[in-house]
Amino acid sequence: MWSDFERGAMERAIAEAKRGRPSPNPRVGAVIVRDAKIISVGHHERAGRAHAEVVAIQNAGSSVEGATLYVTLEPCNHHGRTGPCTEAILEAQIARVVIGCRDPAPHVAGAIDRLKTAGVEVEVGLMEQECTALIADFAKHVRTGLPFVTLKAAVTLDGKIATRTGDSKWITGEEARTETHRMRDESDAILVGVGTVLADDPKLTVRHVEGRDPVRVVLDADLRTLPTSAVLDQGASGAGTWIFHAHDADSARGEALRGPGVELIPVSRHARGVDVEEVLKVLGERDVVRLLVEGGAHVHGTFLDLGLADRAAIFIAPRIVGDSDAISFAAGSGVESIEHAWRLVRTRVQPLGSDWLVSGDFERRQ
Protein backbone atom coordinates (compact mmCIF):
# COMPACT_ATOMS: atom_id res chain seq x y z
CA MET A 1 0.00 0.00 0.00
CA TRP A 2 2.73 2.42 0.97
CA SER A 3 5.81 2.99 -1.17
CA ASP A 4 9.36 2.96 0.14
CA PHE A 5 9.52 6.72 -0.47
CA GLU A 6 6.41 7.31 1.62
CA ARG A 7 7.77 5.18 4.45
CA GLY A 8 11.00 7.14 4.24
CA ALA A 9 9.08 10.42 4.47
CA MET A 10 7.25 9.26 7.59
CA GLU A 11 10.48 7.95 9.12
CA ARG A 12 11.89 11.44 8.64
CA ALA A 13 8.80 12.90 10.32
CA ILE A 14 9.25 10.53 13.27
CA ALA A 15 12.90 11.55 13.59
CA GLU A 16 11.81 15.19 13.55
CA ALA A 17 9.22 14.55 16.26
CA LYS A 18 11.86 13.13 18.59
CA ARG A 19 13.72 16.45 18.51
CA GLY A 20 10.92 18.24 20.35
CA ARG A 21 10.27 18.59 24.07
CA PRO A 22 6.61 19.67 23.95
CA SER A 23 5.24 17.99 27.08
CA PRO A 24 2.43 17.99 28.15
CA ASN A 25 1.67 18.02 24.42
CA PRO A 26 2.59 14.99 22.25
CA ARG A 27 5.72 14.82 20.15
CA VAL A 28 4.82 15.42 16.51
CA GLY A 29 6.88 15.66 13.33
CA ALA A 30 5.91 16.73 9.82
CA VAL A 31 7.40 16.52 6.32
CA ILE A 32 6.18 18.30 3.17
CA VAL A 33 6.79 16.62 -0.18
CA ARG A 34 6.41 17.80 -3.77
CA ASP A 35 7.31 15.78 -6.87
CA ALA A 36 8.75 12.93 -4.75
CA LYS A 37 11.15 15.33 -3.01
CA ILE A 38 11.17 16.50 0.59
CA ILE A 39 10.99 20.30 0.54
CA SER A 40 10.44 21.04 4.23
CA VAL A 41 10.34 19.49 7.71
CA GLY A 42 9.17 20.63 11.11
CA HIS A 43 8.48 19.47 14.65
CA HIS A 44 6.60 20.68 17.71
CA GLU A 45 9.39 22.09 19.87
CA ARG A 46 7.65 23.30 23.04
CA ALA A 47 4.10 23.56 24.38
CA GLY A 48 2.69 26.92 23.35
CA ARG A 49 4.85 27.15 20.25
CA ALA A 50 3.80 26.40 16.67
CA HIS A 51 2.82 22.81 15.91
CA ALA A 52 4.81 20.61 13.55
CA GLU A 53 2.54 21.16 10.54
CA VAL A 54 2.73 24.94 10.84
CA VAL A 55 6.52 24.86 11.32
CA ALA A 56 6.94 22.71 8.21
CA ILE A 57 4.77 25.09 6.18
CA GLN A 58 6.78 28.07 7.42
CA ASN A 59 10.11 26.34 6.80
CA ALA A 60 9.20 25.71 3.16
CA GLY A 61 9.96 29.37 2.45
CA SER A 62 7.54 29.47 -0.48
CA SER A 63 4.13 28.19 -1.52
CA VAL A 64 3.30 24.57 -0.68
CA GLU A 65 0.11 24.58 -2.74
CA GLY A 66 -0.64 21.12 -4.11
CA ALA A 67 2.01 19.42 -1.95
CA THR A 68 1.67 16.36 0.32
CA LEU A 69 2.04 16.65 4.07
CA TYR A 70 3.24 13.63 6.08
CA VAL A 71 2.53 14.05 9.79
CA THR A 72 2.99 11.55 12.60
CA LEU A 73 -0.21 12.51 14.44
CA GLU A 74 -3.66 13.65 13.37
CA PRO A 75 -3.64 17.46 13.06
CA CYS A 76 -5.41 19.42 15.78
CA ASN A 77 -8.81 20.89 14.97
CA HIS A 78 -9.36 23.20 17.93
CA HIS A 79 -8.21 26.48 19.41
CA GLY A 80 -5.80 25.95 22.31
CA ARG A 81 -2.47 27.63 23.00
CA THR A 82 -2.21 27.86 19.21
CA GLY A 83 -4.73 27.90 16.36
CA PRO A 84 -6.02 24.71 14.68
CA CYS A 85 -3.57 23.05 12.31
CA THR A 86 -6.43 22.05 10.01
CA GLU A 87 -6.95 25.72 9.18
CA ALA A 88 -3.24 26.24 8.53
CA ILE A 89 -3.23 23.23 6.17
CA LEU A 90 -6.25 24.52 4.26
CA GLU A 91 -4.86 28.03 4.07
CA ALA A 92 -1.60 26.65 2.63
CA GLN A 93 -3.66 24.73 0.04
CA ILE A 94 -1.95 21.42 0.72
CA ALA A 95 -3.58 18.79 -1.49
CA ARG A 96 -2.90 15.57 0.43
CA VAL A 97 -2.29 14.71 4.08
CA VAL A 98 -0.85 11.36 5.20
CA ILE A 99 -1.29 10.72 8.93
CA GLY A 100 0.60 8.18 11.02
CA CYS A 101 -1.96 7.70 13.80
CA ARG A 102 -5.09 9.28 15.17
CA ASP A 103 -4.96 11.60 18.18
CA PRO A 104 -6.30 9.95 21.38
CA ALA A 105 -7.38 13.32 22.79
CA PRO A 106 -11.20 13.57 22.49
CA HIS A 107 -11.22 17.27 21.58
CA VAL A 108 -9.34 16.57 18.32
CA ALA A 109 -12.24 14.64 16.80
CA GLY A 110 -13.31 16.01 13.44
CA ALA A 111 -9.91 16.98 12.02
CA ILE A 112 -9.93 14.34 9.29
CA ASP A 113 -13.54 15.08 8.31
CA ARG A 114 -12.76 18.80 8.28
CA LEU A 115 -9.93 18.29 5.80
CA LYS A 116 -11.86 15.85 3.61
CA THR A 117 -14.89 18.15 3.48
CA ALA A 118 -12.61 20.91 2.20
CA GLY A 119 -11.37 18.65 -0.60
CA VAL A 120 -8.06 17.50 0.89
CA GLU A 121 -7.11 13.88 0.24
CA VAL A 122 -6.46 12.23 3.63
CA GLU A 123 -4.92 8.83 4.36
CA VAL A 124 -4.30 7.36 7.79
CA GLY A 125 -2.09 4.52 9.06
CA LEU A 126 1.36 4.93 7.50
CA MET A 127 3.79 3.43 10.07
CA GLU A 128 0.93 3.51 12.57
CA GLN A 129 2.64 1.31 15.15
CA GLU A 130 5.76 3.48 15.23
CA CYS A 131 3.75 6.70 15.37
CA THR A 132 1.53 5.33 18.14
CA ALA A 133 4.62 4.35 20.16
CA LEU A 134 5.87 7.92 19.75
CA ILE A 135 2.91 9.25 21.75
CA ALA A 136 2.50 6.40 24.25
CA ASP A 137 3.23 8.78 27.14
CA PHE A 138 0.71 11.37 25.93
CA ALA A 139 -1.93 8.72 25.26
CA LYS A 140 -1.64 7.31 28.78
CA HIS A 141 -1.87 10.77 30.31
CA VAL A 142 -4.99 11.55 28.26
CA ARG A 143 -6.57 8.21 29.14
CA THR A 144 -5.73 8.02 32.86
CA GLY A 145 -4.42 11.39 33.98
CA LEU A 146 -1.23 9.64 35.16
CA PRO A 147 2.37 9.94 33.93
CA PHE A 148 4.02 7.37 31.69
CA VAL A 149 6.49 5.64 34.04
CA THR A 150 9.91 4.34 33.00
CA LEU A 151 11.98 2.39 35.52
CA LYS A 152 15.67 3.03 34.91
CA ALA A 153 18.66 1.37 36.54
CA ALA A 154 22.25 0.33 35.97
CA VAL A 155 22.87 -3.29 36.96
CA THR A 156 25.58 -5.92 36.91
CA LEU A 157 25.18 -9.22 35.06
CA ASP A 158 23.82 -10.71 38.28
CA GLY A 159 21.22 -7.95 38.60
CA LYS A 160 22.80 -5.86 41.34
CA ILE A 161 22.57 -2.05 41.51
CA ALA A 162 25.02 -1.75 44.42
CA THR A 163 27.22 -3.82 46.71
CA ARG A 164 26.13 -4.78 50.21
CA THR A 165 27.83 -1.56 51.44
CA GLY A 166 25.80 0.54 49.01
CA ASP A 167 28.67 1.31 46.63
CA SER A 168 27.41 1.82 43.06
CA LYS A 169 29.90 4.21 41.41
CA TRP A 170 30.25 3.40 38.66
CA ILE A 171 28.59 0.21 37.46
CA THR A 172 28.41 1.36 33.84
CA GLY A 173 30.74 3.39 31.65
CA GLU A 174 30.69 6.90 30.24
CA GLU A 175 28.52 6.08 27.21
CA ALA A 176 25.78 4.57 29.36
CA ARG A 177 25.85 7.50 31.77
CA THR A 178 25.56 9.91 28.85
CA GLU A 179 22.47 8.05 27.63
CA THR A 180 20.99 8.30 31.13
CA HIS A 181 21.35 12.07 31.03
CA ARG A 182 19.71 12.18 27.59
CA MET A 183 16.78 10.28 29.08
CA ARG A 184 16.61 12.79 31.92
CA ASP A 185 16.45 15.62 29.38
CA GLU A 186 13.46 13.92 27.73
CA SER A 187 11.61 13.52 31.05
CA ASP A 188 9.31 15.96 32.84
CA ALA A 189 10.34 14.64 36.24
CA ILE A 190 12.80 12.20 37.77
CA LEU A 191 11.88 10.25 40.90
CA VAL A 192 13.93 8.54 43.61
CA GLY A 193 13.34 7.33 47.13
CA VAL A 194 14.86 8.93 50.19
CA GLY A 195 17.16 5.93 50.54
CA THR A 196 18.89 6.88 47.31
CA VAL A 197 19.14 10.51 48.45
CA LEU A 198 20.78 9.49 51.72
CA ALA A 199 23.09 6.87 50.20
CA ASP A 200 24.23 8.60 47.00
CA ASP A 201 23.37 12.30 47.48
CA PRO A 202 22.52 12.64 43.76
CA LYS A 203 22.01 15.97 41.97
CA LEU A 204 19.49 14.43 39.53
CA THR A 205 20.38 17.01 36.88
CA VAL A 206 21.33 16.84 33.19
CA ARG A 207 25.09 17.21 32.81
CA HIS A 208 26.55 14.86 30.20
CA VAL A 209 24.41 16.28 27.38
CA GLU A 210 22.97 19.67 26.61
CA GLY A 211 19.40 19.82 27.84
CA ARG A 212 17.01 20.92 30.55
CA ASP A 213 16.72 19.49 34.04
CA PRO A 214 13.54 17.62 34.98
CA VAL A 215 11.66 18.34 38.18
CA ARG A 216 13.27 16.33 40.97
CA VAL A 217 10.85 14.18 42.96
CA VAL A 218 11.71 12.49 46.25
CA LEU A 219 9.54 9.94 48.06
CA ASP A 220 10.24 10.60 51.74
CA ALA A 221 7.41 9.57 54.06
CA ASP A 222 9.13 10.72 57.26
CA LEU A 223 11.12 13.68 55.84
CA ARG A 224 14.52 12.09 56.42
CA THR A 225 16.11 14.10 53.57
CA LEU A 226 19.01 16.17 54.90
CA PRO A 227 18.85 19.97 54.44
CA THR A 228 22.31 19.77 52.83
CA SER A 229 21.23 17.23 50.17
CA ALA A 230 22.32 18.05 46.63
CA VAL A 231 18.80 17.38 45.33
CA LEU A 232 17.64 20.51 47.19
CA ASP A 233 20.28 22.76 45.64
CA GLN A 234 18.52 25.14 43.25
CA GLY A 235 21.75 26.98 42.42
CA ALA A 236 22.91 24.29 40.00
CA SER A 237 19.48 23.74 38.51
CA GLY A 238 16.42 25.72 37.56
CA ALA A 239 14.24 22.69 38.18
CA GLY A 240 12.26 22.52 41.37
CA THR A 241 12.34 19.76 43.96
CA TRP A 242 9.10 18.15 45.15
CA ILE A 243 9.26 16.06 48.32
CA PHE A 244 6.26 13.80 48.86
CA HIS A 245 5.80 12.95 52.53
CA ALA A 246 3.15 11.48 54.81
CA HIS A 247 0.62 13.79 56.45
CA ASP A 248 1.91 12.84 59.90
CA ALA A 249 5.60 13.51 59.18
CA ASP A 250 7.52 15.69 61.65
CA SER A 251 6.69 19.32 60.77
CA ALA A 252 9.97 20.54 62.24
CA ARG A 253 11.88 18.43 59.74
CA GLY A 254 9.74 19.90 57.01
CA GLU A 255 10.57 23.46 58.02
CA ALA A 256 14.28 22.64 57.83
CA LEU A 257 13.86 21.55 54.22
CA ARG A 258 11.86 24.50 52.93
CA GLY A 259 13.61 26.88 50.59
CA PRO A 260 13.48 28.39 47.09
CA GLY A 261 12.24 25.85 44.59
CA VAL A 262 11.56 23.18 47.22
CA GLU A 263 7.96 22.12 47.73
CA LEU A 264 6.72 19.70 50.37
CA ILE A 265 3.61 17.77 49.29
CA PRO A 266 1.67 15.71 51.85
CA VAL A 267 0.04 12.46 50.70
CA SER A 268 -1.38 9.38 52.37
CA ARG A 269 0.92 6.94 54.09
CA HIS A 270 1.30 3.44 52.67
CA ALA A 271 2.60 0.36 54.47
CA ARG A 272 5.94 0.80 52.65
CA GLY A 273 6.12 4.61 52.67
CA VAL A 274 4.01 7.17 50.84
CA ASP A 275 1.05 6.17 48.67
CA VAL A 276 2.71 5.96 45.24
CA GLU A 277 -0.60 5.86 43.40
CA GLU A 278 -1.57 9.17 45.00
CA VAL A 279 1.86 10.58 44.12
CA LEU A 280 1.33 9.69 40.45
CA LYS A 281 -2.10 11.30 40.48
CA VAL A 282 -0.65 14.54 41.82
CA LEU A 283 2.17 14.46 39.27
CA GLY A 284 -0.33 13.91 36.45
CA GLU A 285 -2.40 16.86 37.64
CA ARG A 286 0.77 18.96 37.43
CA ASP A 287 1.30 18.00 33.77
CA VAL A 288 4.08 15.49 34.41
CA VAL A 289 3.64 13.22 31.39
CA ARG A 290 7.04 11.49 31.25
CA LEU A 291 8.34 10.23 34.61
CA LEU A 292 11.77 8.61 34.93
CA VAL A 293 12.12 6.49 38.08
CA GLU A 294 15.72 5.93 39.12
CA GLY A 295 14.99 3.89 42.21
CA GLY A 296 16.40 2.46 44.36
CA ALA A 297 15.42 -1.15 44.87
CA HIS A 298 12.55 -0.47 47.28
CA VAL A 299 11.00 2.11 44.95
CA HIS A 300 11.37 -0.12 41.88
CA GLY A 301 9.80 -3.01 43.78
CA THR A 302 6.86 -0.86 44.84
CA PHE A 303 6.15 0.29 41.28
CA LEU A 304 6.30 -3.31 40.05
CA ASP A 305 4.14 -4.73 42.83
CA LEU A 306 1.46 -2.09 42.20
CA GLY A 307 1.63 -2.48 38.42
CA LEU A 308 2.42 1.21 37.94
CA ALA A 309 5.42 0.93 35.60
CA ASP A 310 4.97 1.18 31.84
CA ARG A 311 8.50 0.76 30.56
CA ALA A 312 11.96 -0.38 31.69
CA ALA A 313 15.35 0.93 30.65
CA ILE A 314 18.03 -1.29 32.19
CA PHE A 315 21.71 -0.61 31.59
CA ILE A 316 23.67 -3.85 31.97
CA ALA A 317 27.40 -3.85 32.67
CA PRO A 318 29.72 -6.86 32.17
CA ARG A 319 30.44 -7.09 35.90
CA ILE A 320 29.48 -9.66 38.52
CA VAL A 321 29.21 -8.85 42.23
CA GLY A 322 28.56 -12.43 43.32
CA ASP A 323 26.97 -11.55 46.66
CA SER A 324 23.45 -12.54 47.71
CA ASP A 325 23.39 -9.60 50.12
CA ALA A 326 24.21 -7.04 47.43
CA ILE A 327 21.33 -4.74 46.44
CA SER A 328 19.14 -5.97 43.59
CA PHE A 329 17.26 -3.96 40.98
CA ALA A 330 13.91 -4.45 42.70
CA ALA A 331 13.05 -5.39 46.28
CA GLY A 332 9.31 -5.91 46.18
CA SER A 333 7.01 -8.79 47.01
CA GLY A 334 7.90 -10.49 43.73
CA VAL A 335 6.28 -13.59 42.29
CA GLU A 336 6.39 -17.28 43.10
CA SER A 337 6.80 -18.58 39.55
CA ILE A 338 8.58 -17.50 36.39
CA GLU A 339 5.26 -17.81 34.59
CA HIS A 340 3.93 -14.82 36.55
CA ALA A 341 7.05 -12.70 36.27
CA TRP A 342 6.91 -9.33 34.57
CA ARG A 343 7.88 -9.56 30.92
CA LEU A 344 9.20 -6.90 28.57
CA VAL A 345 7.76 -6.70 25.06
CA ARG A 346 8.80 -4.61 22.06
CA THR A 347 12.31 -4.89 23.44
CA ARG A 348 15.40 -3.19 22.11
CA VAL A 349 19.04 -3.96 22.89
CA GLN A 350 21.46 -1.10 22.33
CA PRO A 351 25.24 -1.44 22.85
CA LEU A 352 26.84 1.49 24.68
CA GLY A 353 30.58 1.06 24.93
CA SER A 354 31.13 -2.14 26.91
CA ASP A 355 27.57 -1.99 28.32
CA TRP A 356 24.10 -2.68 26.93
CA LEU A 357 20.80 -0.89 27.30
CA VAL A 358 17.84 -3.27 27.33
CA SER A 359 14.52 -1.46 27.07
CA GLY A 360 10.93 -2.47 26.51
CA ASP A 361 7.33 -2.12 27.63
CA PHE A 362 5.99 -4.04 30.59
CA GLU A 363 3.46 -6.70 29.68
CA ARG A 364 0.80 -6.87 32.35
CA ARG A 365 1.13 -10.03 34.36
CA GLN A 366 -1.97 -12.19 34.82
Side-chain angles (χ1 to χ4, degrees), residues 39-330:
I39 61 174
S40 181
V41 300
H43 66 274
H44 185 25
E45 178 62 29
R46 290 281 190 273
R49 296 187 186 179
H51 289 187
E53 302 94 319
V54 173
V55 174
I57 291 170
Q58 293 172 343
N59 286 345
S62 59
S63 173
V64 293
E65 181 180 352
T68 296
L69 169 70
Y70 294 83
V71 61
T72 58
L73 182 66
E74 179 181 359
C76 67
N77 191 43
H78 67 288
H79 287 272
R81 292 172 176 169
T82 62
C85 290
T86 50
E87 295 303 319
I89 292 168
L90 295 176
E91 184 178 342
Q93 296 183 288
I94 287 172
R96 178 172 176 249
V97 176
V98 179
I99 298 168
C101 66
R102 294 178 183 270
D103 195 318
H107 60 262
V108 175
I112 293 173
D113 289 342
R114 173 75 180 94
L115 294 173
K116 286 183 175 180
T117 300
V120 177
E121 181 185 351
V122 180
E123 297 179 69
V124 182
L126 173 55
M127 299 187 68
E128 184 173 15
Q129 184 175 343
E130 294 86 344
C131 291
T132 300
L134 188 65
I135 61 161
D137 51 354
F138 173 74
K140 181 190 177 183
H141 191 251
V142 166
R143 186 178 70 254
T144 68
L146 303 177
F148 186 91
V149 177
T150 298
L151 302 188
K152 173 265 165 185
V155 305
T156 60
L157 284 176
D158 49 347
K160 305 300 182 179
I161 62 173
T163 66
R164 70 168 72 192
T165 66
D167 180 45
S168 61
K169 290 184 173 35
W170 294 101
I171 290 176
T172 54
E174 187 71 22
E175 293 91 340
R177 295 200 294 276
T178 298
E179 180 64 13
T180 290
H181 284 248
R182 188 195 63 76
M183 292 170 62
R184 289 180 178 180
D185 169 53
E186 288 190 340
S187 303
D188 299 316
I190 178 172
L191 181 150
V192 298
V194 65
T196 296
V197 172
L198 296 175
D200 299 338
D201 195 24
K203 294 184 177 71
L204 302 182
T205 55
V206 175
R207 301 185 300 279
H208 290 273
V209 299
E210 184 176 344
R212 62 175 178 82
D213 294 333
V215 173
R216 297 171 288 184
V217 177
V218 180
L219 304 184
D220 185 3
D222 296 305
L223 293 174
R224 294 190 292 136
T225 299
L226 300 176
T228 55
S229 297
V231 76
L232 303 180
D233 181 10
Q234 305 300 308
S237 172
T241 303
W242 301 344
I243 302 177
F244 285 85
H245 62 89
H247 287 282
D248 59 355
D250 189 333
S251 59
R253 290 181 177 178
E255 288 303 317
L257 297 175
R258 295 187 189 279
V262 178
E263 185 174 356
L264 274 61
I265 305 172
V267 291
S268 302
R269 184 182 288 276
H270 186 271
R272 293 185 290 182
V274 295
D275 186 332
V276 174
E277 292 181 272
E278 186 177 347
V279 170
L280 291 185
K281 182 179 178 181
V282 173
L283 292 177
E285 290 170 349
R286 294 180 174 217
D287 282 341
V288 172
V289 176
R290 299 171 66 89
L291 177 65
L292 185 65
V293 176
E294 292 202 12
H298 174 81
V299 170
H300 287 154
T302 299
F303 272 87
L304 289 174
D305 287 345
L306 296 176
L308 297 175
D310 300 289
R311 189 167 178 81
I314 312 298
F315 296 86
I316 303 175
R319 300 173 185 267
I320 295 175
V321 174
D323 184 350
S324 61
D325 291 328
I327 303 171
S328 298
F329 162 71

